[in-house]
Amino acid sequence: MGGATQGTQQGADSGKDGTVSVTVGGVVFDRSKNGSGNSAGALTSATSWTPPPCWYAPKYTPDQLQKEMEPIWDAGSTGYEWDAKQRDRYVNGHPYKDFNKDKAGKGYFWDSFVDEDFPPGWDSCDEQPFWVDQGDPPPADIENAVTPEILAELAYAEIRVPSTEVTLAPAAETKVNLPTWAWLDAADFKPVSVTASVPVIGISATATAEPVALRIQPGTQDAVTYPASGVCEINDGRIGEPYARGKANRTPPCGVRYLRSSGDGTYPLQATVTWKIEWTGTGGAGGDLPDGTFGATQDVVVQEIQAVNR
């Protein structure tokens, strides 16, 4: 808690439907429409943007804050001067009198919550608990106080997307100068979403990730990608095109052609999918968040084409 119990974290209980509740009065994440499976992973922002490492949300009723604070003061471990300032703030009317009990049921004390992974800046939410009347927005000068947009950013951090292992043809191994086709099954790359909400004040936001492109990095400079940029756009719900008989002489819309054998080893082909992130929230709010990426590496064997001497 900012100012009172430093380092207080969010506590979570996971339900079978994927819904996770974070402390009384805090943020609730609904992950039931998220990507799943052991290979699913978190997105990395395509820019330097990162989700909030900490935020402020409703945390205490007047009685709850009193029960939180008074044992700390009674213990005396925080020192007389600090205790006196806190009593002055919450009991003596500067600015709150008797923990705002005359406003019970009409608002909440807000306090800080921390990303449980403790990213850089996790300890930057150091404001003391502050009161917000029900129906009023949080103070404008409080950075990262939950709004629909902040909730969307927190939901972004909870998005999980499927693995990006592409299907290759030839599959087991390919040959030097032979085009290798690459594609992703559209059934595995449907949009996923996470909703973040604060039920006690009736606001929510949903962040939705939709796959838009696949970037192929062959793992060696001795290769040519299709297209030349190495970026395969999504088309008709699929990235790339499956190989089929009769296409051997065609240039794949998405793929790679290796120019040199991998010898006794392999080339680490990296396939990275770019996901477009949009959000919608309470009151018609919405917009875009930075694109996210998620990739995987797979080993590719490239052999020389063996000539037959007659």
Side-chain angles (χ1 to χ4, degrees):
M1 180 173 68
T5 55
Q6 294 294 330
T8 296
Q9 300 180 51
Q10 55 189 1
D13 294 317
S14 181
K16 293 182 180 180
D17 63 352
T19 300
V20 174
S21 299
V22 183
T23 56
V24 175
V27 178
V28 174
F29 295 103
D30 181 354
R31 301 183 181 91
S32 60
K33 297 180 181 178
N34 211 357
S36 59
N38 294 333
S39 61
L43 290 169
T44 299
S45 172
T47 69
S48 59
W49 177 88
T50 57
C54 61
W55 60 92
Y56 297 94
K59 197 168 189 178
Y60 302 105
T61 65
D63 284 341
Q64 288 171 336
L65 184 62
Q66 181 179 17
K67 291 178 181 178
E68 178 76 18
M69 300 293 284
E70 287 187 338
I72 298 173
W73 302 341
D74 292 342
S77 58
T78 48
Y80 173 79
E81 183 177 354
W82 186 89
D83 291 346
K85 287 182 178 179
Q86 295 296 302
R87 286 192 177 93
D88 195 50
R89 177 177 174 82
Y90 297 109
V91 179
N92 299 334
H94 303 110
Y96 310 115
K97 185 174 180 61
D98 194 23
F99 293 97
N100 258 14
K101 288 183 180 179
D102 61 328
K103 289 190 172 185
K106 300 178 181 178
Y108 298 93
F109 280 102
W110 291 39
D111 199 8
S112 60
F113 293 80
V114 178
D115 185 322
E116 60 186 7
D117 291 329
F118 296 98
W122 67 268
D123 55 351
S124 60
C125 294
D126 55 4
E127 296 283 346
Q128 298 184 73
F130 54 90
W131 181 266
V132 179
D133 286 333
Q134 188 79 7
D136 284 353
D141 61 340
I142 301 292
E143 187 176 1
N144 290 350
V146 289
T147 60
E149 185 170 5
I150 291 293
L151 289 177
E153 294 174 353
L154 295 175
Y156 182 114
E158 299 298 319
I159 289 175
R160 299 295 180 265
V161 296
S163 172
T164 52
E165 183 170 354
V166 298
T167 303
L168 300 175
E173 60 186 43
T174 188
K175 305 293 185 182
V176 171
N177 284 319
L178 177 68
T180 299
W181 293 56
W183 68 93
L184 290 168
D185 190 337
D188 295 331
F189 282 83
K190 295 179 180 179
V192 298
S193 65
V194 172
T195 298
S197 62
V198 184
V200 297
I201 57 174
I203 64 171
S204 66
T206 299
T208 301
E210 181 179 1
V212 292
L214 166 70
R215 183 184 183 194
I216 291 181
Q217 296 170 281
T220 174
Q221 293 183 346
D222 294 316
V224 175
T225 57
Y226 304 104
S229 64
V231 178
C232 308
E233 302 291 340
I234 192 167
N235 186 27
D236 292 332
R238 176 183 284 116
I239 299 178
E241 180 182 325
Y243 176 78
R245 283 193 173 188
K247 296 182 179 180
N249 294 325
R250 288 176 48 188
T251 298
C254 182
V256 60
R257 177 166 58 90
Y258 287 97
L259 307 179
R260 181 173 296 182
S261 165
S262 59
D264 295 331
T266 60
Y267 289 129
L269 181 145
Q270 185 172 18
T272 303
V273 172
T274 297
W275 297 74
K276 181 180 180 181
I277 315 297
E278 297 180 333
W279 70 274
T280 57
T282 302
D288 296 329
L289 291 171
D291 289 349
T293 61
F294 184 63
T297 300
Q298 56 200 92
D299 294 330
V300 177
V301 176
V302 182
Q303 294 184 340
E304 296 282 359
I305 297 177
Q306 300 297 318
V308 177
N309 295 322
R310 297 183 181 273

